[in-house]
Amino acid sequence: MKIKLLALFITVFTLSTVVSFAQDNTNGVIKLENRITKSVEIGIDGMACQEGCADKIASNLKEKDGVISADISFDNKNGNIVFDPSLISIEEVKSIITDTKVKDYNYTITSVNLQEK
């Protein structure tokens, strides 16, 4: 009886471990085939520095579903954003930029250059 119970326990433990590992996506990468993305270069005015303003805008963009990448440059006063238009619109991207709050800085959009990728 003890051997059967031990064998049952080992089987259940092994199966639960395999299922757990199968659901684990440790690298966080999900590949989507044939994904349509758009790339946009947005001119941004009002940033005071890279570490505070530009990095905070990039961080806020990257938190949103549909934003693939966001590179914001204080020096160039712009951002290059790649996004999935089926998940987020260009208007939402622009709102995230202008709604970002760092101290009393106000960010404005000075240009938008959208292109298919």
Side-chain angles (χ1 to χ4, degrees):
M1 178 70 180
K2 290 182 181 180
I3 293 176
K4 287 182 180 179
L5 190 56
L6 180 61
L8 179 63
F9 175 77
I10 291 172
T11 303
V12 170
F13 177 78
T14 303
L15 287 175
S16 66
T17 304
V18 169
V19 169
S20 176
F21 284 131
Q23 292 177 350
D24 186 21
N25 184 6
T26 56
N27 63 6
V29 175
I30 299 172
K31 292 183 179 180
L32 299 175
E33 297 297 320
N34 300 321
R35 178 183 241 185
I36 296 173
T37 62
K38 290 189 177 183
S39 178
V40 64
E41 182 179 311
I42 298 179
I44 305 168
D45 197 24
M47 294 185 289
C49 67
Q50 181 66 44
E51 292 78 22
C53 299
D55 290 349
K56 181 63 175 170
I57 292 170
S59 173
N60 286 350
L61 286 164
K62 291 174 186 175
E63 288 177 1
K64 287 298 276 184
D65 286 341
V67 174
I68 302 359
S69 67
D71 297 312
I72 310 299
S73 172
F74 164 72
D75 290 333
N76 296 329
K77 297 188 183 310
N78 71 6
N80 292 301
I81 299 105
V82 178
F83 65 101
D84 180 340
S86 69
L87 298 174
I88 188 169
S89 71
I90 187 65
E91 294 306 318
E92 289 174 291
V93 169
K94 290 167 36 178
S95 285
I96 292 168
I97 293 169
T98 58
D99 291 346
T100 295
K101 297 297 175 210
V102 176
K103 297 185 181 180
D104 291 331
Y105 299 117
N106 293 312
Y107 309 112
T108 56
I109 305 297
T110 58
S111 63
V112 177
N113 182 11
L114 183 65
Q115 51 188 316
E116 297 277 333
K117 205 169 185 203

